[in-house]
Amino acid sequence: MSLPVPTWRLVVAAGVGSLAVLLVPVRPPLGLWVVNGVLLVAAVVDWLLAVRPGELEVERDLPGIVPLGAEARVVWRVAHGGRGGRWSPGGRGVRVRLADELAPSLRAVTRRARVVVPARGRVTAATTIRPSRRGRFTPTEMVLRVEGPLGLVARQGRRRLPGVLRVYPPFDSRDEAELRVDKARILEVGLRSAQGRGGGTEFDSLREYGVDDEFRRIDWAATARSGKAIVRTYRAERNQTVLLLLDSGRTMPRLDHAMDAVMMLTSLATRLGDRAGLVAFDREVRAVVGPGHARDQLSRVTEAMYQLQPLLVESDYRGAFAETLGRFRRRAMLVVLTELAEQAVSETLLPALPLIARDHLVVVASVADPEVRGWALATPVEPGAAYRKAAAVAALADRRRTVARLRGLGAVVVDAPPGRLAPDLADAYLRVKATGRL
């Protein structure tokens, strides 16, 4: 059902008619009735001749997947086959206005467009979006307003155009991941020498002794046969498991930076031959992606994360660890991305940590607040700044104690500012690979 909507032209015509009634020497009531009658008849005829919105072919092209903060285009296409309106086959264009159902957080430049569709023709309009929130968006309707040939009245109707747009967390560390993959391959970090603590390494090949080689790596039998010093080279075992446990509870305020670190470590591990997986949780487990090293593993992990939103609830570490152990029993590197708030760690994380620290290598990663560090280093010039500095110094001291307690339980701790969490965590993973700790 299309509704009649008066246009600005009808308002202008009514104003001109009223002015004519005042200027022409005719009795006002009669003149007004004549003008109103003419305008009413013209408006009714215009509405009857207007093309119905349902007779137009309308398409919306969504980009599908857009990283948070990136620009993308939404394209509308409107076509008219020349049916229905008695005036359209004559070649006159159809004036159409459309309004799309785009969420405000998509930050579209405009949600509306005005086009003229030729008979048996097609026109295209577009807008630019820059999403400010992650998640799944499902615009389902579009409002069309089609003007009549006189431009006095328009037909307005709704059209269902279901669509899906996914806004993913930004992979800001993508270039850093590429650099570390190249470096690992060049230096064979994680693929060749597993110096230090043995175990978990595989024999690779024999080669001539170099000045940087350890004496205990000399193969005496091969040395005796060749007459020169020969050493054994090793490579770290492939197909090892890296499980990323992402805390999305209220103690994790910088979730997007943690997601960036998850994506970087997933990309790095899978490309170096290891298996990466994800467990996202708060008071309950929200998403699970089994460990894998297929080409689409990063896409699977990102797909599982992009709709997560921080909740004002206490995270259940014990429950998340128990479910992780129940699902994945093989020894793994468990990376817990959380907040190192002293009270939360003391009351929830530390009591649950022994569940996983006994059989797995545990890495705890957190985003440090650069503002707190800045306040602690600043020179106060007013009483308020002095109190803030004291609070910041105390907060940093509490954080250092928390880190020390975690390391005392055998965990590797990565505490880095927002822009450094992903690369520092990747470096920690590469060091673990290089030393054969898995």
Side-chain angles (χ1 to χ4, degrees):
M1 180 65 180
S2 57
L3 301 175
V5 179
T7 68
W8 65 270
R9 293 183 179 86
L10 182 61
V11 176
V12 171
V16 172
S18 301
L19 183 62
V21 169
L22 294 176
L23 297 177
V24 176
V26 182
R27 287 184 299 174
L30 179 60
L32 289 175
W33 278 106
V34 172
V35 170
N36 290 337
V38 171
L39 287 177
L40 179 61
V41 171
V44 170
V45 172
D46 198 32
W47 183 76
L48 291 174
L49 294 177
V51 176
R52 295 178 177 84
E55 296 172 359
L56 298 175
E57 299 175 7
V58 185
E59 299 176 357
R60 180 206 297 117
D61 284 348
L62 294 172
I65 296 174
V66 182
L68 181 66
E71 284 192 356
R73 282 168 56 86
V74 177
V75 179
W76 304 296
R77 295 185 178 89
V78 185
H80 182 225
R83 303 186 304 274
R86 286 178 288 174
W87 60 282
S88 56
R92 302 179 63 180
V94 182
R95 293 186 295 269
V96 180
R97 294 188 180 189
L98 61 87
D100 203 352
E101 187 185 38
L102 300 178
S105 60
L106 292 177
R107 296 172 61 187
V109 172
T110 180
R111 298 187 300 111
R112 297 174 174 83
R114 183 175 183 177
V115 296
V116 177
V117 187
R120 297 181 178 84
R122 177 187 298 266
V123 295
T124 299
T127 188
T128 301
I129 60 173
R130 185 188 290 270
S132 60
R133 181 174 64 85
R134 288 181 291 102
R136 177 187 176 95
F137 298 86
T138 56
T140 56
E141 286 189 341
M142 183 181 297
V143 176
L144 296 178
R145 182 178 294 180
V146 185
E147 295 183 6
L150 302 178
L152 300 177
V153 179
R155 288 180 180 265
Q156 179 170 303
R158 295 179 177 270
R159 294 288 298 274
R160 285 189 57 83
L161 290 174
V164 177
L165 172 64
R166 297 176 176 87
V167 179
Y168 277 6
F171 192 0
D172 294 330
S173 61
R174 185 184 300 274
D175 293 339
E176 293 272 3
E178 293 294 331
L179 289 175
R180 278 157 179 78
V181 169
D182 294 340
K183 179 181 177 181
R185 287 174 174 170
I186 292 173
L187 301 178
E188 297 181 322
V189 175
L191 297 177
R192 179 179 61 85
S193 175
Q195 301 173 3
R197 281 172 282 188
T201 61
E202 297 177 347
F203 174 75
D204 185 27
S205 63
L206 296 173
R207 61 173 175 79
E208 189 173 349
Y209 177 83
V211 294
D212 293 327
D213 289 321
E214 296 182 6
F215 184 74
R216 64 188 180 90
R217 298 290 184 181
I218 295 178
D219 187 306
W220 297 107
T223 298
R225 288 195 301 270
S226 64
K228 54 186 176 182
I230 300 296
V231 295
R232 290 172 175 260
T233 62
Y234 295 83
R235 59 184 174 88
E237 295 177 1
R238 286 194 169 203
N239 204 30
Q240 294 171 329
T241 302
V242 179
L243 281 175
L244 298 131
L245 284 74
L246 178 62
D247 175 12
S248 60
R250 69 178 181 88
T251 59
M252 191 62 184
R254 295 171 180 82
L255 189 57
D256 286 340
H257 294 290
M259 289 182 175
D260 180 49
V262 168
M263 290 187 286
M264 180 172 183
L265 200 53
T266 299
S267 175
L268 183 59
T270 53
R271 293 179 65 180
L272 293 181
D274 286 337
R275 304 165 70 241
L278 171 72
V279 177
F281 68 97
D282 41 58
R283 64 186 170 192
E284 60 186 69
V285 173
R286 299 293 179 180
V288 177
V289 178
H293 49 62
R295 289 179 176 270
D296 65 341
Q297 188 68 4
L298 177 59
S299 298
R300 293 176 59 207
V301 168
T302 307
E303 179 72 19
M305 289 193 305
Y306 81 98
Q307 294 192 79
L308 295 176
Q309 298 296 336
L311 296 179
L312 294 176
V313 296
E314 292 287 351
S315 297
D316 182 7
Y317 294 95
R318 187 176 293 275
F321 293 167
E323 182 156 347
T324 300
L325 295 176
R327 288 174 175 266
F328 314 111
R329 299 184 180 277
R330 180 179 175 181
R331 175 173 169 81
M333 176 178 171
L334 301 184
V335 182
V336 184
L337 294 109
T338 186
E339 171 59 29
L340 294 180
E342 184 180 31
Q343 182 178 0
V345 171
S346 300
E347 296 178 357
T348 55
L349 178 56
L350 285 177
L353 200 60
L355 288 175
I356 57 176
R358 181 179 58 186
D359 299 321
H360 300 275
L361 173 63
V362 179
V363 178
V364 179
S366 181
V367 183
D369 191 338
E371 287 189 348
V372 174
R373 180 174 176 81
W375 294 337
L377 297 177
T379 301
V381 295
E382 58 182 359
Y387 288 122
R388 186 169 57 193
K389 177 182 176 69
V393 170
L396 292 179
D398 292 342
R399 196 174 185 94
R400 286 192 293 269
R401 284 194 297 270
T402 301
V403 170
R405 295 178 67 183
L406 290 170
R407 287 173 175 161
L409 291 174
V412 177
V413 180
V414 177
D415 189 20
R420 292 298 310 169
L421 178 65
D424 287 0
L425 184 56
D427 290 339
Y429 159 74
L430 292 176
R431 286 194 296 270
V432 167
K433 290 283 291 179
T435 56
R437 294 185 63 183
L438 276 178

